[in-house]
Amino acid sequence: GYENYLYENGIRVVKLFLNISKDEQKKQFLQRIDDPSKNWKFSDGDMVERESWDEYMEAFQDMVNNTSTSDCPWYVIPCDKKWFAREVISEIIIQTLEAINPQYPKVDEVRKAKLAEFRRKLMEEPESKKE
């Protein structure tokens, strides 16, 4: 599929599924309701969607199982503790970057000569008058 095409062309797809528990979601919803400064974060639709929790979990599991490959896996990140989720996500990104070992493009001799010419021209320009 498309992800395989990207992978074969040197692009690494990092798929992160941020998974919060039902109990943690309840805690966060209550904080949003109880703290007037967070009321804006709570939507009536949140409660409607929460009623379908089990169906969503089944759909997420199906999605992960059916779209995860060895080259483009899903990383399911437990998110009840934000500090832990951020640590895990950071580690995944670091490992991915280390594996691809990104490098600056090489500058060949023809380009170096062209840059030297641009430099010479810039150095020949008169200084602007400062006001």
Side-chain angles (χ1 to χ4, degrees):
Y2 184 65
E3 289 176 354
N4 191 329
Y5 170 80
L6 293 173
Y7 184 86
E8 289 175 358
N9 285 281
I11 297 171
R12 296 301 172 256
V13 177
V14 178
K15 300 184 289 191
L16 306 171
F17 180 79
L18 308 180
N19 191 32
I20 188 171
S21 70
K22 192 171 186 181
D23 289 340
E24 180 62 21
Q25 186 190 60
K26 176 183 175 179
K27 178 181 154 191
Q28 290 182 12
F29 283 174
L30 288 170
Q31 287 174 347
R32 292 173 184 179
I33 292 169
D34 294 342
D35 182 346
S37 70
K38 294 184 179 183
N39 287 165
W40 66 272
K41 290 184 174 185
F42 190 81
S43 166
D44 295 359
D46 291 336
M47 289 305 296
V48 173
E49 297 302 324
R50 187 171 167 80
E51 292 173 11
S52 300
W53 182 271
D54 293 337
E55 290 84 4
Y56 277 117
M57 291 303 108
E58 188 175 320
F60 294 146
Q61 185 175 5
D62 287 347
M63 176 205 57
V64 168
N65 289 338
N66 290 309
T67 62
S68 193
T69 65
S70 59
D71 292 333
C72 302
W74 272 100
Y75 296 93
V76 179
I77 314 296
C79 287
D80 284 3
K81 303 290 182 205
K82 287 183 182 179
W83 68 267
F84 179 77
R86 290 174 180 150
E87 177 72 26
V88 172
I89 292 166
S90 298
E91 191 60 36
I92 291 166
I93 292 170
I94 288 169
Q95 287 179 10
T96 302
L97 286 171
E98 287 175 346
I100 63 174
N101 190 23
Q103 303 290 318
Y104 286 108
K106 302 268 188 243
V107 179
D108 63 18
E109 294 306 315
V110 172
R111 183 68 181 153
K112 285 180 185 177
K114 188 79 165 175
L115 290 172
E117 177 63 19
F118 291 147
R119 184 180 196 292
R120 185 190 59 74
K121 286 181 179 180
L122 288 167
M123 294 303 292
E124 289 175 355
E125 287 182 3
E127 291 292 322
S128 299
K129 295 190 190 236
K130 295 182 181 154
E131 296 179 31

